[in-house]
Structure formats: structure tokens, C-alpha cells
Amino acid sequence: MFSSSGLAVGLASYWLGASTALELRETSIERLSLYQSNLLGELDKYRYLPFVLSGNEDVKDLLTTFSNDTFFANKVSRYLAETNNKAEANVLYIMDKQGNTLASSNWQEDTSFVGYNYSFRPYFQDAIEGREGRFFAIGTISDIPGFFMSHPVYENNSIIGATVVKVNLTPLQQQWNDGGENVLITDDNGIIFLASKKEWLYKSLREISDVQLQKLKRIKQYGDSTFEILSTDKTGIAGDIATEVDGKKYLETIQSIENTNWKIHYLVSIGSITENQRKIVAIGIGVMITLLVLALFIRERRQKVISTRRALEAEKMEDINQQLEIEIEERRRTEKELRAAQDGLVQAGKLAALGQMSAAIAYEINQPIAAIQNNVLNCGSFLKEDKDCDLDQSLTEISSLTEKMGVITGQLKNFARKSSLKIKPTDIGKAINKASHLVQPVFKTQGINVLINVAAEKMLIAGDETRLEQVFVNLYRNAIDAMQGMNGVKVVHVEASIIGDRVNVIVSDTGTGFEDHVLSKLYDPFFTTKSNNESLGLGLSITYGIIKDLKGEIHASNNSDGGASFVLSFPRYIEK
Ligand code: ADP
């Protein structure tokens, strides 16, 4: 964030600097034009004076007939002084063909030009050669810098002398200085001959060749000046170039002055630019510091909030963990209790089933007992009559009947035994058959046909044999009850098959089927529609619990042609 705001501050300060520089540049150009026209206006004011003077008859007479007449010369000088008073030029004077000053507006002053020869001045040369002269120089007598303008004086088409006006430009310099402006004018040598700052005067912006120096000396243009170089180093600033003069930086704008070989320079201090930039940087730094402090404050606040929140969350988490541990413990205990209860229920269910089946079982056992009794009686007779063969047969029959009873009681013992869940690969077909053997006596007494359709291959599930037997005993028993007292064919049909990775069993009967309200409560413990004392309403809830323990499903429905069906489905156990 800070580097980008730093960049923004930098860009802003650069942009502001650049726009300030641009503004200054535009203002400079305007000022330059103004100063240039000031200067030109000042010079123009006197431009026609030499021309006007050159046509004056007295001037011509002075240059011809009265060139040695001091009285006449003074008359002309007086005239020049009067004219100068009106015109407010610096000096007006008349030179003869040799460059001698014959009359001058300052003839009565100490610095009078009269008697002096100025033939060395270029403006004199120009006039004598028929041109208008224009020349800036420091006065050799007055030491006052001025601009000289000359004009030839003609008599019968020949040049007899020159009229000259010297314009003092010092007031102009003073004006610039008073206005606090930095203005300077350089000649074709780069010499500063007009400047708002005195210390810049007669310094040169560049090296002057010896030839030029000699010429300057000869024409005495700038007196005894040595033309020290004013160093003007250039440096880049805010997309512009700064000129460094005397250790100060300026934005320098230069224009050529029309009809001359001069250049006017306008220098504006770039303090305003750097000041602007400094202000912006200061503001920027201020903003950055504020942002930094703000960001630190926000960060600290946020960290405080975060750490408080984290502490609260940690506390909460600890609470939740404790709560969870309590709940887990609770669930474990409940599960244990439930399992014990379920085991109890299973046991109760088994005993209930045994109770219900007891009559049929008793009948089943009574039969062989009676047969044994019969055979025992027969054995006695056969012994007496030495019928060894018959005796042998009777004893074999007794033995087989005893064995049959043993099987029945063994199955009952097994079934009634209290056992807890033991999951191992179990063949569901075996459980189906074993259960039907157990219930066989009841099927028989009730005249029920049991059709078991089980695949020849093993149908393994992760199960518990005894529990599975119980499932099928319960389903058979319910089927028996549902078909009790019904006319027609009584059939219990059991079909088991492997479908994909599942083992499915359908147990259907031809009994009463379910009434609608029964279906929704089928697996509720203690739900029964039976009025006899043995029906506890536990059979299906126990069945449901066992099937769920074995990761299986049970679904009851009415058959379309009457009777009920239970569809059981278990995940198939695949031996590795
Ligand atoms: P109980 O046999 O002691 O009533 P169950 O839980 O075994 O308890 O059965 C609950 C009820 O479900 C039965 O009372 C009976 O109404 C109904 N039921 C179970 N199996 C059958 C079936 N094969 N045909 C019709 N109704 C059935």
C-alpha cells in the first residue's frame, strides 16, 4: 500500500512540477514578448530622430560652411539640447565625415561629446557608408551604456556627416529590476549588455575568440570589460530544463529580438516548482504517515479482534469438545444398554417364538415318544418269542426315533441359547433351511406348503447364523399366523438369489396381507394386531434390528394376488 502511495506522491509531485513548469514557460513567453516590445518601443521612439536631424539645414550648414565656426556649432548644440529635452533621449549629436563631434545636446556638460572623434564606432561607419547605424555600447566618456542610432547627412547626394541619437537603456534595466524580474539581453557574441541584475552585466554566456576580443576593444563597445563567463549549467527538472546561474536554478526562456542579432532572456526562479513539489512531497509524506498510522491502528485492532475471537472460539471449541465427549460417552452407554436390551429382546422374541411353537414341538416330540413306547413294548414280545430279527428292527427304529428327537431338541436348544452378535461369512441359504426345519412341525400341523428356492451355490453375507435363523423363524411364524384359519392353499415361498453385489431373499405367503395402517408401524416394538397372549409385537422389530446390524434392508408389501411379502437384501460377502 505504501509503496503505491509513495509512487502516487512521486507521480503527483512530478505532474504538479511539470504542470507548474509548463505554466511558467507559458508566462515566460508572454513576459518576454512584453519586454521585447518595451525595448523595441523605447528604441522606436527615437528611431526617426537622426533622420529628422539629418534634414535640418543648420545641421547641414554646420557640416559644410560652418564646420569651424564654434558660434554656429553652439547654436546647433543648443537646438539639439532643446530637441533632446522634448524627445527625452540621452544625447543627440552631429559628426562630420571624419567622425568628429561638432555639436551635441550635452555640449554644456562635463561629459560633452563635442570635440571627440567616434569614427571607431560601427554606427559611424554605417552612416558614412549610407546606412542607418544601430549599435549598443558603453559610452567612452560618460560610461553610460546606450543604444546608438545614426543616419547619414546628405548634401547634393554626397554624405557630409552623420546625425546620432544615444538612447539610455539604464531606466529599462531599472524597471526590470524593480519588478523583481530576471531579464537580460545578449548580443551576437553572447555578451550580456542589458540585465536586470547588475552583476550579470558584460559577462558572456560563451567563450569569446581572440579576434572578437580585439574587435570589441577596437570599437570600445563595452569599455574595459573582460567578459567573464557566466556559467549557465543545464539540469533536467519536472520534464523541463533548468538553467543554473550563480547556484540558483531558473527556467530560462529566450527569444530573438526582431531586426537585431540580439537575444532577450527571461529567467524565472524554479523555486516555485520545487516549492510545489516539496509541498506535494510533504503532503504526500504526511498522507503516507497518516495512512501508515491508520493501517497500523487498524491492523492492531483487527489482530486484537481476531485474537479475542480466537480465544472465544477456542473456549467454545473446548466447550463443544467436552460436550461431544460427554455425548459420545452417553451414546456409548446408550448403545451398550440398547445392545443389552436388544439381546434381551432377541431372547424374549426367541422364547416367545418357542412358546408359540411349543404345542407343535410337543406334538412333534410326542410322536416319536409314542412310537418308542410302542417299539419298547414290541421289543419285550420279540424277546420272549426269540424273534431276534424283529427285535433288531424295533431297536433300530427306537434308535432312529431317539435320534430324530435329539435333532429337534438340539435345534431348539441352539435357538433358545442366549447369544450375542458374531459376524462371520454366513451362507444365508443354510439359515433359511435351518429355520424352516425348526418351524417344520408347525408348518406341518397347519397344513402349510413350504417352497424353498435357494441357489445351489453358497450365498455368503457378513452375518451371524443364529440371528439369521431367528429372522427367518420370525418371518415364517408371522406367515403361519397370517394364514391361520384361512381356506385354500397355504404356501410359504422362500426365494434367495445373488444379484450383483447383493444377496436378496423374498419370503412371501398367501395369508391375510397387511392392512394399510399396519405397514407404517410394522417394525415398532410391541406393535401387534394379534390378541393371543404369546404375541408380544416384538418379532419384526427384532428382525429389523438384526437386519440393520448386518447392514441389510427389509421391505414389506402386499402381494397383488393376496398375502404378504418381505424382501430382504444384504451386501454380498465376497471371499478373497
Ligand atoms: P407379533 O407377531 O407378535 O404380532 P410381529 O412384530 O412379529 O409381532 O408382527 C407385528 C404385526 O405385523 C403382526 O401383529 C401382524 O399384524 C403383522 N404381520 C407380520 N407379518 C405378517 C404377515 N406375514 N402377514 C400379515 N401380517 C403380518
Side-chain angles (χ1 to χ4, degrees):
M1 174 173 71
F2 303 109
S3 65
S4 58
S5 55
L7 183 74
V9 169
L11 282 174
S13 90
Y14 180 84
W15 174 80
L16 228 109
S19 66
T20 312
L22 199 74
E23 258 173 48
L24 285 178
R25 187 66 80 191
E26 279 168 8
T27 323
S28 297
I29 292 168
E30 280 169 18
R31 306 297 283 222
L32 267 185
S33 305
L34 182 75
Y35 291 131
Q36 192 184 153
S37 51
N38 269 357
L39 173 72
L40 293 175
E42 193 69 14
L43 301 179
D44 269 358
K45 261 202 315 201
Y46 308 106
R47 205 170 129 198
Y48 297 103
L49 261 180
F51 165 71
V52 174
L53 287 177
S54 70
N56 185 287
E57 286 307 319
D58 281 349
V59 171
K60 282 184 186 176
D61 286 348
L62 177 66
L63 290 170
T64 49
T65 326
F66 302 105
S67 58
N68 291 318
D69 186 337
T70 313
F71 182 78
F72 195 80
N74 288 349
K75 183 188 159 198
V76 174
S77 286
R78 213 173 291 119
Y79 164 69
L80 291 175
E82 279 167 19
T83 311
N84 190 44
N85 268 347
K86 283 184 204 140
E88 290 178 337
N90 185 222
V91 188
L92 294 177
Y93 52 105
I94 316 290
M95 295 163 90
D96 67 13
K97 248 171 109 176
Q98 284 73 43
N100 298 310
T101 311
L102 301 185
S104 173
S105 61
N106 63 355
W107 66 292
Q108 280 185 314
E109 294 168 24
D110 293 345
T111 53
S112 165
F113 293 176
V114 178
Y116 287 95
N117 186 292
Y118 296 114
S119 56
F120 55 90
R121 295 288 206 191
Y123 65 82
F124 172 73
Q125 304 294 334
D126 286 336
I128 283 309
E129 283 161 25
R131 296 185 299 272
E132 286 190 333
R134 300 272 180 272
F135 186 65
F136 184 91
I138 299 177
T140 47
I141 296 156
S142 64
D143 266 347
I144 296 172
F147 188 66
F148 298 83
M149 288 184 275
S150 63
H151 199 277
V153 183
Y154 291 93
E155 174 80 358
N156 300 324
N157 286 334
S158 57
I159 295 167
I160 51 166
T163 49
V164 187
V165 59
K166 180 185 176 188
V167 181
N168 185 2
L169 293 173
T170 316
L172 203 65
Q173 295 184 112
Q174 197 54 47
Q175 266 178 35
W176 296 340
N177 193 285
D178 291 347
E181 302 274 46
N182 300 305
V183 188
L184 53 95
I185 297 179
T186 50
D187 66 9
D188 50 349
N189 288 313
I191 295 166
I192 302 165
F193 65 91
L194 281 177
S196 55
K197 275 188 185 347
K198 272 201 182 108
E199 59 267 32
W200 290 347
L201 271 177
Y202 314 121
K203 287 190 177 171
S204 176
L205 298 183
R206 53 177 189 267
E207 205 78 52
I208 298 167
S209 69
D210 287 345
V211 180
Q212 277 300 332
L213 269 176
Q214 273 168 14
K215 186 185 169 196
L216 288 169
K217 273 220 161 76
R218 186 164 30 85
I219 61 174
K220 298 185 184 160
Q221 191 171 3
Y222 299 114
D224 299 327
S225 302
T226 49
F227 312 114
E228 204 183 300
I229 301 275
L230 183 73
S231 86
T232 49
D233 291 339
K234 310 280 185 215
T235 46
I237 182 162
D240 211 315
I241 291 168
T243 306
E244 197 172 325
V245 185
D246 296 335
K248 264 191 172 175
K249 286 187 177 168
Y250 299 92
L251 197 70
E252 184 185 22
T253 313
I254 307 170
Q255 272 183 12
S256 294
I257 299 178
E258 51 192 69
N259 301 322
T260 68
N261 43 18
W262 300 345
K263 282 193 170 110
I264 181 164
H265 304 238
Y266 182 80
L267 288 89
V268 60
S269 169
I270 55 169
S272 56
I273 300 177
T274 43
E275 186 54 26
N276 261 342
Q277 285 181 316
R278 219 174 289 129
K279 265 186 208 158
I280 288 296
V281 169
I283 292 169
I285 289 170
V287 168
M288 272 171 71
I289 289 171
T290 314
L291 279 176
L292 184 74
V293 169
L294 202 73
L296 285 175
F297 175 72
I298 290 170
R299 213 178 96 179
E300 203 192 290
R301 282 297 304 257
R302 205 162 50 195
Q303 268 171 352
K304 240 184 210 167
V305 170
I306 288 172
S307 58
T308 317
R309 203 174 54 208
R310 280 197 185 139
L312 278 173
E313 275 171 3
E315 224 170 84
K316 233 191 232 168
M317 282 295 286
E318 210 168 295
D319 280 358
I320 290 170
N321 273 345
Q322 272 177 5
Q323 196 65 30
L324 268 175
E325 265 170 37
I326 292 168
E327 268 176 33
I328 288 168
E329 195 45 46
E330 192 97 331
R331 286 196 70 149
R332 272 201 199 116
R333 213 175 42 241
T334 315
E335 202 186 319
K336 218 167 161 188
E337 280 170 9
L338 268 175
R339 189 147 302 279
Q342 203 186 34
D343 286 348
L345 281 175
V346 169
Q347 195 56 21
K350 282 182 193 173
L351 296 179
L354 282 178
Q356 274 191 334
M357 294 190 296
S358 59
I361 294 164
Y363 173 78
E364 198 68 4
I365 292 176
N366 279 347
Q367 250 196 342
I369 288 175
I372 290 169
Q373 274 177 340
N374 244 350
N375 278 307
V376 169
L377 285 176
N378 289 342
C379 281
S381 312
F382 295 144
L383 257 176
K384 278 180 198 157
E385 292 162 22
D386 277 336
K387 286 181 177 168
D388 287 354
C389 186
D390 291 337
L391 180 68
D392 197 39
Q393 200 184 333
S394 278
L395 284 173
T396 313
E397 207 163 311
I398 288 170
S399 163
S400 94
L401 284 167
T402 319
E403 216 169 274
K404 193 178 173 187
M405 281 168 64
V407 170
I408 294 170
T409 51
Q411 279 175 344
L412 286 174
K413 209 170 91 191
N414 243 345
F415 181 70
R417 197 179 64 213
K418 201 172 176 183
S419 66
S420 51
L421 197 66
K422 283 180 206 125
I423 306 273
K424 59 177 185 193
T426 308
D427 183 7
I428 209 164
K430 205 169 156 193
I432 289 167
N433 283 321
K434 263 184 134 180
S436 71
H437 273 129
L438 264 172
V439 188
Q440 189 57 39
V442 190
F443 282 142
K444 211 162 127 192
T445 50
Q446 297 286 326
I448 296 167
N449 252 334
V450 183
L451 300 175
I452 294 178
N453 213 343
V454 171
E457 61 180 310
K458 271 189 180 178
M459 286 177 289
L460 291 179
I461 66 162
D464 175 312
E465 204 173 306
T466 327
R467 294 285 162 99
L468 275 172
E469 273 171 38
Q470 166 134 37
V471 165
F472 292 109
V473 166
N474 286 346
L475 294 177
Y476 295 157
R477 199 172 50 80
N478 277 336
I480 292 163
D481 288 346
M483 290 186 289
Q484 205 174 30
M486 283 193 71
N487 299 318
V489 189
K490 296 177 182 176
V491 182
V492 170
H493 190 195
V494 186
E495 198 164 315
S497 55
I498 296 169
I499 297 170
D501 55 358
R502 297 197 73 84
V503 175
N504 293 347
V505 184
I506 302 169
V507 179
S508 69
D509 61 54
T510 52
T512 53
F514 309 104
E515 282 178 56
D516 281 348
H517 75 279
V518 172
L519 271 173
S520 59
K521 297 181 188 135
L522 218 51
Y523 307 106
D524 292 354
F526 306 106
F527 172 76
T528 180
T529 56
K530 298 166 195 170
S531 49
N532 58 37
N533 286 336
E534 289 93 12
S535 297
L536 300 173
L538 287 174
L540 283 182
S541 71
I542 291 166
T543 300
Y544 183 85
I546 295 171
I547 290 170
K548 282 286 151 198
D549 277 351
L550 303 181
K551 313 264 183 287
E553 281 162 21
I554 182 166
H555 178 72
S557 61
N558 282 320
N559 298 327
S560 56
D561 51 351
S565 275
F566 284 90
V567 178
L568 282 58
S569 173
F570 298 92
R572 186 181 174 196
Y573 178 85
I574 295 160
E575 280 176 307
K576 286 158 194 162

